[in-house]
Amino acid sequence: MEKDQLLAVLDFSEEASQLARAKAILESAKSQLAQAEASLKAEKAKLNQLKRGTREEEIKLAEVKVENAQKSLVEARENLEKVKKLNKSDLEKAEQTLSDALRAWQTAQEKAETSLANVYADVPDVLNNAYVKSIDAVNSQTDEMFSSDFTAHPQLTFITSDIQAEIDAENLRVQANQAIDDFQKMLEDLNSEDYSSLDNALDKGFTYLKTIRSFLNALNKAVDRAIGLSQTTIDTYKSQINTAQTNIETAISSLNSQKQTISQQKITNQVNLDTAQTTLNSAEKSLELTKASNENKLNSAEDKVKEAENALKLAQAELNLKKAGYTSEEITAQEARVKEAEANLSSQQSRVKQAEADVAYYSSLIKAKKIIAPFSGKVIKKNTEKGEIVSPNEPVISLISSFPYKVEANISEMDIAKVKIGQPTEITLDAYGERV
């Protein structure tokens, strides 16, 4: 065991905790002390400035600030006027776009109405033409092939071997007559201004024509099986029926074509109206966005003008103060602030000293709980174990030196003259007598 080597340590966890806390307080106190020193320095500098008064260059600097503030105000006001003009231009463009879109929408509406009216205007003519062809097909082309044409029981004027064809032809002749009558009544009641009525008339007309077509097909079949007719007569009948069929198919095609034309026109109108409506909606939205954007731009420009006005007022006030100089009241107030800063510095210095004393105190407590070897030697006995409680003045460790012993002894004045350095001597310890 060497001198100053640690022999044993008493538990000092509580003191270590207190020491850490004391060190943290010390660091905080030092930081606040530095702040107090800086604050005092700043307050003293300001006091010196007040006592010295405003320098000429400071006044010139304040005048430059005023000039800059005036320029900023002029620029802000010019910018405000520019924003107003741009806002007006943007608003006029947006309003014109909306006006054009509204006009285009109205034009699309008018065009749609006109176009649809034009295609519906052809419906009565198409129906009348179909009606005329129906009359010609039933009453003219097939008249000589029937007797009692317009009664409830018309009869073929020739004999046919196909009895069913004969029955079908005669029955369908009755239905064809009725279809023509219904066709005529429908045309008489037709309202050319009511598009729904015209659509319904086209559907009915198509039904009437299909009935007549069925009649002609049945009649053609009966003629094919005719008995007792010359070939010339049969050919004549076949030609008349073919003419009637062609006219009816043409009428049916005309009705279908007219329906398709109306349907296509409605689709075209809807597409054009949707496009115009989309453009109109876009223009309305654009106008709203333009108004909102203009308002934001105007508010921003007005705010900048107010900021520039306030900055100019502040710069002018600072210049006036610098030209007027500092009053005795301001100097007195600053001296009070310096004293306050000095008092704060003194208080912080006291805190630092107290914190340093606390750190030293807890450090000494920890040091006192450490047993250090006073000399080099050998541990010959350990009286306690880790965790045991030790009473005051109770031996913990026994240590003997590894060097020669040093003995202090009293020598009488009569013998002192006989003693010399390096002289050998014999020592007897009372506790051991002559054994040692």
Side-chain angles (χ1 to χ4, degrees), residues 9-17 365-367 369-370:
V9 179
L10 298 179
D11 179 41
F12 59 86
S13 57
E14 183 176 352
E15 288 79 0
S17 175
L365 289 180
I366 292 173
K367 184 177 180 181
K369 291 197 173 186
K370 294 180 180 179

Side-chain angles (χ1 to χ4, degrees), residues 145-146 155-170 218-229 234 237:
M145 301 176 205
F146 285 92
Q155 299 289 321
L156 288 174
T157 57
F158 58 88
I159 301 172
T160 178
S161 62
D162 191 338
I163 302 302
Q164 186 60 49
E166 178 183 2
I167 294 172
D168 290 342
E170 292 173 348
L219 180 60
N220 189 51
K221 190 174 181 181
V223 171
D224 286 339
R225 301 292 180 89
I227 300 174
L229 292 178
I234 292 175
Y237 286 175

Side-chain angles (χ1 to χ4, degrees), residues 372-435:
I372 308 298
F375 51 80
S376 299
K378 181 178 181 181
V379 176
I380 61 173
K381 188 176 182 181
K382 184 172 68 171
N383 299 324
T384 59
E385 297 295 335
K386 183 178 179 180
E388 291 184 4
I389 299 175
V390 181
S391 301
N393 299 321
E394 180 180 347
V396 176
I397 292 176
S398 297
L399 178 69
I400 61 172
S401 176
S402 58
F403 296 99
Y405 294 105
K406 181 188 290 185
V407 179
E408 292 183 1
N410 295 322
I411 302 175
S412 65
E413 293 179 1
M414 293 177 61
D415 296 328
I416 192 62
K418 302 175 183 179
V419 177
K420 296 179 180 180
I421 295 175
Q423 181 180 343
T425 183
E426 293 182 0
I427 298 173
T428 301
L429 301 177
D430 293 340
Y432 296 96
E434 294 182 356
R435 288 178 298 170

Side-chain angles (χ1 to χ4, degrees), residues 333-344:
Q334 186 59 34
E335 288 175 341
R337 284 191 283 272
V338 169
K339 290 181 180 180
E340 182 179 352
E342 289 174 340
N344 182 49

Side-chain angles (χ1 to χ4, degrees), residues 47-62:
L47 177 60
N48 292 335
Q49 180 182 354
L50 292 177
K51 289 182 177 180
R52 184 177 64 249
T54 306
R55 292 177 295 180
E56 185 65 25
E57 54 268 26
E58 291 178 338
I59 294 178
K60 289 182 178 180
L61 181 61

